[in-house]
Amino acid sequence: MDLRPRGYDKIVHLLEKGVSIPNPLTVDVGDEIDPDLISADGVIIYPGCRLYGAKTVISAGTRLGAEMPVTLQDCRLGPRVELRGGYFKQSVFLAGANMGSGAQVREACLLEEEAGGAHCVGLKQTILFPFVTLGSLINFCDCLMAGGTSRKDHSEVGSSYIHFNFTPDGDKTTPSLFGDVPRGVMLDRPPIFLGGQGGTVGPVRMGYGTVVGAGCILREDVLDDGQLVVTNTPRQIKRPHSGYHYGNLTRVVRNNIVYLANLAALEVWYEQVRQPFFARQEFGQALYSGALEILALAREERAKRLVAMAGKVSAETEQNREFRDQAHAVCALFSGTAAATAGNDADTAVPMPGGLRRAIDRSAAGYLETIQSLTPDLKAQGVEWLQTIVDTLCGQAAKALPSLDLS
């Protein structure tokens, strides 16, 4: 009887190149795994781990399964990533990102530098900017969170928090923006704090520096920065329920469009600002391609959910009819090519500020250090550039849906 684990020859290859696997007979490696995409520098794969997927990349200093086994499927891991235990699928983790044991990170998640969570965190279609920290026992799917300047000054989600992303009518047009892309990428905004044992009913938009009290359920946008929010307990309601009644259609559509426009701005940021930094690191091209794939998946998910909701909306009002008729056209504004050029022809795309370009090209430092060292003037130019992309796309969507008054 052959008691060798699946992928035994690849495990031997990894051991010979210097990967630390303390108990190799307990590790399962899929036939599609490419050992050449696993670094030999400081990688530790603890007992019971399972590696699957041809796209899997493991960079230097990564530790898998220190607290409980890790199942990794088509994930791209940057340097010094630590996944202590759980299931991780079709997602990208950049340098220093981390997750505690019992995590379930499903497809289309992007955790940027030093973002992470404690034990038993569930994510899907989630984007966390650098330093964002999640507590324990959290479900935080279908949202983007930014804010903070360092590991000591970061946006945080308290334990037992839920982002409610599924309605009684089966809709998932619920993506929430905690912060935004144009200002968030500059890594100089006050952190957002969502108190534990609370939740947000998406789609919601929130300004930087906002603090939401523990135990609160947020159901409305908080667009101004620096707010303290403590919600009241809802009064008891008991009445007949009528499904597919979209009384807040304008707000839901607006927030979905703003979310899509921010995804477009983030994609442009990756292509024009972040790409050179990926090129300098081991497996950088794979990480860069993976991040763009995540953003494309996020865009496709949001468009799919918006179109699906449009199919449920009754035709009893002009707003509803317009949304039903124009949903596909509106979502087409955010396709890859259109979004990258802010919905215009390529020769009229919103250009990256020259001063910002020169600062990026001249920098010999890493991504975080480079962005943090930009002058206030260059950061302001960058924010204006990305916000113009967001505003242009939102404006075009508003023209397609005039009766909804999305401005």
Side-chain angles (χ1 to χ4, degrees):
M1 179 183 296
D2 188 354
L3 298 179
R4 295 181 300 179
R6 181 167 59 158
Y8 176 79
D9 291 342
K10 293 186 177 183
I11 294 172
V12 171
H13 182 180
L14 293 174
L15 289 167
E16 291 176 343
K17 68 186 287 188
V19 176
S20 176
I21 308 177
N23 195 339
L25 294 181
T26 68
V27 174
D28 191 35
V29 177
D31 295 337
E32 69 282 3
I33 288 289
D34 184 353
D36 291 336
L37 294 179
I38 299 177
S39 177
D41 183 9
V43 171
I44 304 177
I45 303 174
Y46 288 96
C49 290
R50 292 169 282 184
L51 309 181
Y52 308 128
K55 294 181 179 180
T56 291
V57 172
I58 302 176
S59 299
T62 290
R63 294 157 52 95
L64 301 179
E67 296 178 351
M68 62 184 294
V70 160
T71 297
L72 200 67
Q73 181 176 345
D74 281 318
C75 287
R76 296 168 168 101
L77 312 183
R80 304 179 307 284
V81 168
E82 185 167 6
L83 306 179
R84 300 183 186 95
Y87 177 73
F88 306 87
K89 178 183 179 182
Q90 294 177 9
S91 294
V92 174
F93 299 77
L94 300 184
N98 60 89
M99 274 288 163
S101 58
Q104 187 189 58
V105 178
R106 291 178 287 167
E107 58 268 22
C109 291
L110 172 59
L111 275 69
E112 296 192 334
E113 288 83 355
E114 300 183 34
H119 70 276
C120 297
V121 171
L123 305 178
K124 182 182 180 183
Q125 295 280 342
T126 304
I127 298 173
L128 302 181
F129 275 23
F131 317 124
V132 173
T133 299
L134 311 180
S136 302
L137 306 172
I138 285 173
N139 189 311
F140 207 61
C141 303
D142 292 282
C143 51
L144 181 153
M145 190 171 199
T149 61
S150 69
R151 285 297 307 140
K152 293 183 178 180
D153 176 51
H154 55 78
S155 289
E156 181 156 352
V157 180
S159 294
S160 300
Y161 202 90
I162 298 176
H163 179 248
F164 297 101
N165 65 330
F166 195 78
T167 74
D169 293 326
D171 295 316
K172 292 190 75 174
T173 49
T174 51
S176 290
L177 271 175
F178 299 97
D180 58 55
V181 168
R183 295 182 295 166
V185 295
M186 298 304 166
L187 306 179
D188 62 354
R189 299 293 157 166
I192 294 168
F193 183 85
L194 305 179
Q197 293 200 339
T200 294
V201 181
V204 158
R205 288 185 287 155
M206 181 175 291
Y208 289 106
T210 295
V211 174
V212 180
C216 296
I217 304 298
L218 190 68
R219 292 177 168 85
E220 298 179 352
D221 299 334
V222 184
L223 300 181
D224 293 334
D225 291 347
Q227 301 300 298
L228 171 63
V229 181
V230 179
T231 61
N232 294 324
T233 302
R235 64 182 178 88
Q236 179 176 324
I237 296 175
K238 184 178 180 181
R239 67 187 182 194
H241 170 69
S242 59
Y244 307 112
H245 177 68
Y246 296 98
N248 60 345
L249 182 64
T250 293
R251 176 178 173 273
V252 170
V253 173
R254 179 191 295 117
N255 282 4
N256 274 264
I257 287 171
V258 172
Y259 195 94
L260 279 161
N262 273 265
L263 289 176
L266 185 56
E267 186 170 0
V268 171
W269 180 259
Y270 266 78
E271 291 173 345
Q272 300 196 35
V273 174
R274 296 211 59 160
Q275 185 177 15
F277 297 98
F278 284 108
R280 302 174 190 172
Q281 67 184 82
E282 182 185 30
F283 309 137
Q285 182 57 45
L287 291 167
Y288 171 68
S289 298
L292 291 184
E293 287 180 21
I294 296 301
L295 296 176
L297 288 171
R299 183 177 64 241
E300 292 166 7
E301 174 73 3
R302 302 277 61 90
K304 179 180 75 173
R305 298 298 183 177
L306 203 58
V307 168
M309 190 183 80
K312 300 177 184 179
V313 172
S314 70
E316 61 187 16
T317 68
E318 180 183 357
Q319 287 185 338
N320 289 8
R321 290 191 295 272
E322 185 177 83
F323 177 52
R324 286 167 62 99
D325 294 342
Q326 297 298 321
H328 282 93
V330 168
C331 290
L333 295 170
F334 300 94
S335 64
T337 302
T341 60
N344 298 304
D345 295 331
D347 58 354
T348 59
V350 180
M352 179 178 177
L356 181 60
R357 164 57 64 199
R358 288 188 292 274
I360 298 299
D361 290 343
R362 293 171 181 171
S363 176
Y367 170 72
L368 295 181
E369 296 81 359
T370 298
I371 300 304
Q372 290 170 329
S373 66
L374 292 174
T375 65
D377 180 61
L378 287 178
K379 287 188 176 185
Q381 291 178 34
V383 171
E384 182 179 5
W385 166 50
L386 295 176
Q387 190 62 51
T388 299
I389 294 172
V390 171
D391 292 344
T392 299
L393 287 166
C394 289
Q396 292 178 345
K399 288 181 181 178
L401 299 169
S403 67
L404 266 71
D405 189 21
L406 298 177
S407 59

